[in-house]
Amino acid sequence: MQLTATRTENLVRTFMARTYSWMAAGLALTAGVAYLTAQNEGLAYQVMGLRLPLVLAQLAIVFVLSLAAQRLSSVVAGILFIAYAALTGLTFSALLFAYSPSAVIAAFLTTAGTFGAMSVAGYVIKRDLSAMGRFFLFAILGLFVAMIVNVFIASSALTLGISIIGVLLFAGLTAYDTQMLRNLALSGVSGEMAERAAINGALALYLDFVNMFLFILRLFSGSSRS
């Protein structure tokens, strides 16, 4: 009995370590591509001109990884994830022109700390968070609608509210996704299926981190201007 429990815990740790390794690799690639692109003004301006096609390509990759996960090999899924991280780095290069280096670094460190705390909470918390999945879905849709509305009315108060809610929402999603991944590992997933699941889990956590970072960066930028 004890041996079985220990083996299960080792499998869970191995799966989670693999997931976070993919996520960390994606974040490192995104940061590296963003920095190198920003250092080349000619390339940076070309990227800005291709922003819409790049965003559409990112959405297409997320769509494929999310809906065709079970039909893709782990190699293809890994390539798509790396491609997505690289494309995100290209689009994020604009942030290095729009915000000061100190704001970007502070936002990243704050995001890393918040993400780490919420991920640990999601891993160790006993309460089942699966019922919150629908809430998070509708909350994201509502946040997206509010952001579209704010494009037209340009309200600073709404911008602040959206940023605060965005941080809280993706912090909660981090805990939720972590628990869902831990539960998946506990179900005994292994082999090729486990590798695909780790890559898709890494994508979910990567998106949580990146979106939280963007909202925190907006908060820092707003407070520095006030």
Side-chain angles (χ1 to χ4, degrees):
M1 184 74 172
Q2 182 65 36
L3 182 62
T4 302
T6 301
R7 182 174 180 275
T8 299
E9 191 61 31
N10 287 337
L11 288 174
V12 171
R13 289 177 180 173
T14 300
F15 175 80
M16 297 302 287
R18 189 64 178 161
T19 301
Y20 282 99
S21 294
W22 273 105
M23 178 206 164
L27 288 174
L29 179 60
T30 296
V33 170
Y35 176 78
L36 292 175
T37 302
Q39 296 305 301
N40 186 327
E41 280 195 31
L43 176 59
Y45 281 117
Q46 287 182 348
V47 167
M48 290 179 188
L50 295 171
R51 189 171 181 82
L52 180 58
L54 289 174
V55 170
L56 291 176
Q58 288 175 267
L59 291 174
I61 291 175
V62 171
F63 182 82
V64 172
L65 279 173
S66 300
L67 298 185
Q70 301 306 316
R71 296 192 293 273
L72 297 175
S73 69
S74 59
V75 173
V76 173
I79 291 173
L80 288 175
F81 176 72
I82 293 301
Y84 179 82
L87 289 173
T88 303
L90 288 175
T91 56
F92 271 27
S93 62
L95 297 176
L96 301 180
F97 293 101
Y99 299 96
S100 68
S102 60
V104 173
I105 293 172
F108 178 83
L109 293 177
T110 303
T111 303
T114 305
F115 178 91
M118 296 307 296
S119 195
V120 169
Y123 188 85
V124 302
I125 196 171
K126 300 300 182 183
R127 179 184 176 185
D128 183 12
L129 302 178
S130 59
M132 298 183 67
R134 183 171 296 181
F135 164 77
F136 284 126
L137 174 61
F138 284 111
I140 290 174
L141 290 175
L143 189 66
F144 181 69
V145 170
M147 292 172 68
I148 293 177
V149 170
N150 201 36
V151 169
F152 298 99
I153 65 175
S155 167
S156 58
L158 183 56
T159 298
L160 177 61
I162 288 173
S163 298
I164 293 173
I165 293 172
V167 171
L168 295 175
L169 175 58
F170 283 100
L173 268 170
T174 298
Y176 171 83
D177 286 332
T178 301
Q179 188 181 86
M180 295 304 102
L181 287 168
R182 184 174 185 274
N183 290 342
L184 178 61
L186 285 170
S187 71
V189 64
S190 61
E192 174 75 6
M193 187 179 297
E195 187 67 12
R196 286 199 305 265
I199 294 168
N200 280 279
L203 176 63
L205 294 174
Y206 174 97
L207 292 172
D208 293 339
F209 188 102
V210 165
N211 282 288
M212 198 190 312
F213 166 75
L214 289 174
F215 285 116
I216 288 176
L217 183 59
R218 292 190 186 104
L219 281 176
F220 280 14
S221 175
S223 63
S224 66
R225 288 196 297 264
S226 59

